[in-house]
Amino acid sequence: MVSLADLLPRLERLAQASLPLWPVPEGATLRLINVSENTTWLVEAPDLRAVLRIHRAAYHSRRGIEQELEWSQALAAEGAILTPAPIAGRDGKFVQQGHASDLDGARFMVLFDFAPGAQPDENNDLTAPFASLGAIAATMHLHTQKWQPTTPLERLIWDDEAVFGPNPTWGDWRAAPNVTPEIVTVLEQAEATVRRRLCVFGKGADRYGLIHADMRLANLLIDGATTRLIDFDDCGLGWHLYDFAAGISFIEDHPQIPALRAAWLRGYRKVRPLSARDEAEIDTFIMLRRMALLAWIGSHIEAPEPQMLAPDFAARTLVLARRYLASHG
């Protein structure tokens, strides 16, 4: 397997060589801005600012990426959300494919308009952005109940099987750094509780469908009173309340989470009803997402963010699991 240190220069060369696929002026510059499932690059020229996303190999099909763009732009066209628009290539297609001799296989790529704003800081008061985020989530969930893709859906599924099953999307949480035997014992109890409760909760159309699945702080851009939602790359089928759990990714134990939860629910209920039974299950989705993130750290440990989070993430997850089992076990 190629290390991230070796991979990034190869992807930068691919990005530079692929810019002519779009109407990008000659001499445009590239700067890496994020490494996660994909790599994203800021593209700048005198009359252009755009963001290039190079997809991770074998994560999505071309059709799946086209459906992501189709849904996000349908939401934008109806005024449901604000999100950057994709830029068509010279051939008129939003999804381009790049080839490089030093990469194992072609990579899909999408160029987006640059969007203004800044990522929220978890240490600031986020109640207002989370109220907006709840309203955005409810609007999206209403939209998905009537929207149909033009082709059969090829998107990820974010249910308990995807996290805990024999072929988990992000790997086995037990393989994450610093998962001790004590942590395994408690988290296995939490896993069993989550699976049991979600089996009872069910997948009715009023609570399960197409979701963004990654509405965390890194995918929000705040510009004054305006909140933009970016990066629909993980959108797929899941429970609606998973969108709240994803919204507090990595900060589930932050002191202001109860206030953010209340704000999100207020914003959500201004747009769409949410039953007391659904609200009572939010902690289950937080636990499901947290264990998915633990697995993600283990399977993406070469990237900067997982390395930063790894030292105490398993131990903090243990604390959350014990709290969850005390109230829901």
Side-chain angles (χ1 to χ4, degrees), residues 9-323:
R10 301 182 190 187
L11 291 173
E12 183 173 8
R13 290 191 291 272
L14 172 65
Q16 194 70 61
S18 300
L19 288 181
L21 294 171
W22 292 273
V24 173
E26 289 187 16
T29 61
L30 279 169
R31 177 168 62 86
L32 181 67
I33 54 177
N34 190 48
V35 179
S36 184
E37 295 298 336
N38 312 310
T39 56
T40 51
W41 309 77
L42 180 63
V43 182
E44 293 184 292
D47 297 316
L48 174 77
R49 286 191 95 191
V51 174
L52 175 64
R53 183 176 70 189
I54 301 181
H55 281 259
R56 173 184 174 182
Y59 195 58
H60 292 304
S61 66
R62 174 189 286 273
R63 177 180 287 181
I65 299 169
E66 290 170 344
Q67 289 167 345
E68 169 210 337
L69 302 176
E70 182 183 359
W71 183 43
S72 67
Q73 292 313 294
L75 285 162
E78 294 185 17
I81 62 165
L82 294 173
T83 191
I87 300 171
R90 295 185 187 276
D91 62 0
K93 297 178 181 178
F94 289 126
V95 181
Q96 299 293 319
Q97 194 169 27
H99 303 264
S101 59
D102 54 359
L103 290 172
D104 56 346
R107 296 297 183 101
F108 293 122
M109 300 175 292
V110 181
L111 189 67
F112 294 91
D113 286 335
F114 179 83
Q119 176 185 326
D121 185 336
E122 67 186 68
N123 294 311
N124 292 336
D125 182 358
L126 297 176
T127 51
F130 262 75
S132 297
L133 195 59
I136 290 169
T139 302
M140 293 170 65
H141 299 160
L142 285 174
H143 183 271
T144 62
Q145 292 186 315
K146 60 184 176 61
W147 180 79
Q148 291 294 327
T150 56
T151 54
L153 200 62
E154 291 184 11
R155 297 300 306 171
L156 295 169
I157 296 175
W158 297 107
D159 62 5
D160 54 318
E161 192 69 9
V163 178
F164 303 132
N167 296 297
T169 302
W170 284 342
D172 188 345
W173 57 263
R174 295 167 186 80
N178 304 313
V179 175
T180 64
E182 177 192 12
I183 291 174
V184 169
T185 298
V186 176
L187 292 193
E188 284 184 342
Q189 295 174 33
E191 175 183 321
T193 301
V194 167
R195 298 200 77 162
R196 182 178 70 251
R197 293 183 71 94
L198 290 179
C199 180
V200 174
F201 191 68
K203 294 181 177 180
D206 60 332
R207 56 179 52 147
Y208 185 93
L210 186 59
I211 60 172
H212 183 278
D214 200 18
M215 300 175 77
R216 62 191 180 109
L217 300 185
N219 289 330
L220 300 180
L221 292 174
I222 307 297
D223 184 23
T226 301
T227 300
R228 286 179 173 83
L229 180 62
I230 63 173
D231 194 3
F232 280 65
D233 181 58
D234 277 338
C235 72
L237 293 175
W239 285 280
H240 295 156
L241 288 176
Y242 188 86
D243 271 337
F244 171 76
I248 59 170
S249 292
F250 306 117
I251 61 168
E252 295 89 348
D253 51 358
H254 195 282
Q256 69 171 312
I257 291 303
L260 301 187
R261 175 174 176 161
W264 191 93
L265 287 168
R266 284 196 305 272
Y268 195 97
R269 285 181 167 134
K270 285 182 179 179
V271 177
R272 182 173 186 258
L274 187 71
S275 72
R277 183 189 174 201
D278 283 23
E279 181 180 347
E281 212 58 68
I282 287 178
D283 288 338
T284 295
F285 293 103
I286 294 173
M287 199 70 241
L288 175 68
R289 174 69 172 186
R290 179 74 181 201
M291 293 180 72
L293 293 174
L294 181 61
W296 180 82
I297 287 173
S299 59
H300 293 70
I301 196 60
E302 282 204 333
E305 187 177 20
Q307 287 180 7
M308 178 185 69
L309 293 164
D312 65 348
F313 198 81
R316 289 166 55 201
T317 303
L318 173 64
V319 174
L320 290 167
R322 283 177 169 155
R323 188 185 307 162

